[in-house]
Amino acid sequence: MVPAQQPGGGDSVVLERVPLKVKPPQMYQVVMLNDDYTPMEFVVVVIQEFFGKDRETATQIMLKIHLDGKGVCGVYSRDVASTKVDQVMDAAREAGHPLQCVSEPVE
Ligand code: TYC
C-alpha cells in the first residue's frame, strides 16, 4: 500500500471497510433409491450405521423410500455427502445388493 502524502509531512494508511462476501456452503442431501431386491433389514442397518440414525428412525426412512421410491438419509457438506454415498455403495456391492444412493445439492 502506498502511504498517502500528508500536508504535515506524516505518512498515513487508509483502510477501507470491505463488505464480507462469505456465504454458507452449499449443502448436499444423500438420497437413497428404492429397488425390488435389497432386503429391508439391510437398508435399515445401513441407515443406522452410516447416517447415525436410531433403529426406529432408520426404519421410518427405509419405509418412506420403499413407498415413495426415494428418501433423504441426511444433509452434509459436499465431501461428507460424497463419502456417505461411497460407503453405502461399497457396502451394498460387497453384500451383493443393487441398492443405489446419490447426493444432490439442497434447493
Ligand atoms: N423395496 C425393498 C424390498 O421390498 C426394500 C428397500 C427399501 C430397498 C429401501 C431399497 O432404498 C431401499 N425388499
Side-chain angles (χ1 to χ4, degrees):
M1 195 170 290
V2 181
Q5 294 304 314
Q6 295 294 102
D11 291 343
S12 78
V13 175
V14 178
L15 297 175
E16 256 181 70
R17 197 173 282 281
V18 219
L20 278 181
K21 281 193 210 127
V22 285
K23 287 178 282 173
Q26 172 74 62
M27 299 298 276
Y28 289 75
Q29 53 191 16
V30 177
V31 178
M32 206 175 280
L33 308 177
N34 188 37
D35 66 72
D36 291 338
Y37 305 102
T38 304
M40 290 183 175
E41 175 63 19
F42 181 83
V43 177
V44 171
V45 170
V46 159
I47 294 172
Q48 287 182 91
E49 189 165 325
F50 298 123
F51 299 95
K53 308 297 186 192
D54 61 32
R55 188 162 176 91
E56 200 168 307
T57 306
T59 302
Q60 285 169 3
I61 294 172
M62 182 280 296
L63 284 174
K64 187 209 179 329
I65 301 166
H66 178 71
L67 295 172
D68 296 353
K70 61 181 180 172
V72 177
C73 294
V75 176
Y76 306 94
S77 63
R78 189 180 58 175
D79 287 0
V80 173
S82 166
T83 300
K84 302 278 179 198
V85 169
D86 290 347
Q87 288 173 325
V88 170
M89 300 291 280
D90 287 351
R93 194 180 319 110
E94 273 175 36
H97 300 312
L99 182 62
Q100 295 291 311
C101 184
V102 296
S103 81
E104 54 186 42
V106 175
E107 286 142 1

